[in-house]
Amino acid sequence: MDIVTRPRILVVGAGFAGVGCVRRLERRLSAGEADLTLVTPFSYQLYLPLLPQVASGVLTPQSIALSLRRSSRYRTRIIPGGAIGVDLRAKVCVIRTITDEIVNEPFDYIVLAPGSVTRTFDIPGLVDHAFGMKTLAEAAYIRDHVISQLDLADASQDPAERASRLQFVVVGGGYAGTETAACLQRLTHNAVKRYPRLDPRLIKWHLIDIAPKLMPELGDKLGRSAQEILRRRGIEISLGVSIAKAGPDEVTFTDGRVVPTRTLIWTAGVVASPLIATLGAETVRGRLAVNAEMNLPGHDGVFALGDAAAVPDLAKEQDGSVCPPTAQHAMRQGRHVADNVIATLRGGPMRPYVHKDLGLVVDLGGRDAVSKPLGVELRGLPAQAVARGYHWSALRTNVAKTRVMTNWLLNAVAGDDFVRTGFQARRPAKLRDFEYTDAYLTPEQVRARVEGSDR
């Protein structure tokens, strides 16, 4: 009877927000107070800000994939799959497991932290020919792909093919795009020394963004500093420009330029997980509209946070401000929403979420970085120390911290290696192959499935 009557808390997503919530619940709830369930395709938490360093080979993939089963307090049931629909009235979550089985998971409390997916537009050829930079698999695949372009260019006798393989285009002037271009450019710059048949001048990196400024959140001075660093390293930056169409061996920019390339990396922002659209609830630019307690108005026991939720930013004075989709907010929201779930469970009051942004860090590889901790503008080695110190301290486990620090030290002493792991032996995989955004149900399909299973 105890098992039957225990409240069921379901957490969707194992990003910063979801894992932060689960870990807090495990620590503060006794085993008899509630049953905890986590829905995630992978039993690890990905430290997303360090993904460009995995793509460039500075870090190994395992070092930023933090196992969810290492905790001594681990008692959460993990369902390996993704939520594809939620019926809030029936309190049922529809889940597609990694074996493509569809199951219904009932809940009493649900914490929605499904994160975000890459934002794409209706650009001809984009999803067929572009790579994303949102998952661990994509980062590892891109590294293989970039090194394979050097190998193939070195072996080619065709000047046109060689030129297209040695040009690389990154779309998106935010943190992800800027760090990706910077880290991968450094990889090719170091790697080409091992290819005596290749002219280093043929290697060209393009970073483009439709916005008028690179990383505008940094401010004008630091933004210009970042641009100067990248341009000094040979990266061509084009602002106010995007992609008009993409093909297998060339990309057309909106300003009419045609760039021969076999590598188009798309990092032009993110949007909330399509799961949010299945709820039939109010949204703000695609993110679920919640109150400052991260509770969905009109639905007791329904919480949302992280990239998928429009959480009011009470630390800012202007009305209507919502917290940006950053790891800094997601980590703190995860712990805070766990406290609010516990308060609801025990009949106590919930507290609103308030957090003042601590600043921004951008690691451009090597000794290059720009940072703005607590409003203080830093460049070069001081900025690099702050950036890496922040990331290192934010890693959740001592094992992860040890692995990352070891990788950094080894890379600083021994330099890069240029080993491909063999992904290119299979058919090419692009944006559409890594993010299954077409797998979600409509609100009507969710309701029909739940009602059908009740009969």
Side-chain angles (χ1 to χ4, degrees), residues 91-429:
K91 291 199 169 185
V92 172
C93 180
V94 182
I95 299 167
R96 187 190 303 274
T97 70
I98 58 175
T99 56
D100 275 339
E101 179 186 1
I102 297 180
V103 298
N104 290 354
E105 182 67 23
F107 60 84
D108 298 299
Y109 299 86
I110 188 168
V111 177
L112 296 167
S116 56
V117 296
T118 301
R119 178 181 61 183
T120 58
F121 300 98
D122 190 18
I123 298 173
L126 177 63
V127 297
D128 294 313
H129 302 293
F131 299 100
M133 184 56 108
K134 197 77 172 62
T135 67
L136 195 60
E138 285 176 312
Y141 190 92
I142 285 174
R143 173 175 167 77
D144 255 26
H145 171 81
V146 169
I147 296 174
S148 73
Q149 298 312 297
L150 299 180
D151 289 342
L152 292 166
D154 184 63
S156 176
Q157 302 298 324
D158 181 355
E161 179 191 353
R162 181 176 289 188
S164 70
R165 293 196 182 280
L166 296 180
Q167 290 207 69
F168 306 88
V169 178
V170 179
V171 183
Y175 303 110
T178 301
E179 290 188 339
T180 296
C183 291
L184 287 173
Q185 183 276 335
R186 190 169 180 271
L187 171 68
T188 57
H189 174 77
N190 293 331
V192 77
K193 299 171 186 175
R194 311 296 174 91
Y195 295 83
R197 296 182 65 251
L198 293 181
D199 183 352
R201 293 172 296 182
L202 290 177
I203 297 180
K204 296 179 182 178
W205 281 87
H206 302 266
L207 175 60
I208 71 172
D209 193 9
I210 196 65
K213 295 180 181 179
L214 201 66
M215 297 180 293
E217 299 88 346
L218 282 174
D220 290 339
K221 288 184 179 179
L222 280 186
R224 282 197 300 269
S225 293
Q227 287 191 50
E228 290 169 7
I229 290 170
L230 298 181
R231 282 179 171 144
R232 190 165 62 243
R233 282 163 50 174
I235 298 176
E236 183 178 321
I237 299 173
S238 301
L239 300 175
V241 176
S242 189
I243 296 296
K245 63 180 180 179
D249 52 17
E250 69 176 26
V251 170
T252 303
F253 292 176
T254 52
D255 61 5
R257 282 180 290 165
V258 178
V259 176
T261 182
R262 309 293 178 99
T263 309
L264 171 61
I265 302 174
W266 180 267
T267 64
V270 296
V271 293
S273 166
L275 176 67
I276 299 303
T278 73
L279 304 177
E282 182 185 353
T283 59
V284 178
R285 295 183 180 179
R287 301 167 72 184
L288 189 64
V290 296
N291 56 30
E293 290 77 21
M294 290 173 282
N295 179 232
L296 181 62
H299 295 274
D300 293 336
V302 178
F303 299 84
L305 65 162
D307 291 7
V311 180
D313 193 347
L314 300 184
K316 292 184 178 178
E317 296 180 358
Q318 57 262 46
D319 294 336
S321 294
V322 297
C323 296
T326 63
Q328 186 179 146
H329 278 289
M331 285 189 287
R332 289 163 176 81
Q333 288 174 2
R335 295 191 294 266
H336 194 97
V337 85
D339 290 341
N340 282 347
V341 170
I342 294 169
T344 305
L345 191 65
R346 296 173 178 172
M350 294 189 294
R351 295 183 299 108
Y353 171 77
V354 184
H355 169 66
K356 188 174 182 180
D357 207 306
L358 297 178
L360 306 165
V361 295
V362 183
D363 189 335
L364 300 175
R367 299 183 177 184
D368 295 326
V370 290
S371 300
K372 196 174 182 180
L374 300 174
V376 180
E377 297 186 350
L378 300 173
R379 300 166 180 79
L381 281 177
Q384 182 67 280
V386 169
R388 294 203 169 181
Y390 172 79
H391 290 315
W392 185 82
S393 64
L395 291 166
R396 188 172 48 80
T397 68
N398 290 329
V399 172
K401 289 180 179 180
T402 302
R403 283 178 176 153
V404 167
M405 183 60 72
T406 301
N407 285 175
W408 280 338
L409 292 173
L410 184 61
N411 182 260
V413 173
D416 298 313
D417 66 67
F418 314 106
V419 175
R420 288 189 289 119
T421 53
F423 284 120
Q424 295 297 310
R426 61 186 293 278
R427 71 178 181 84

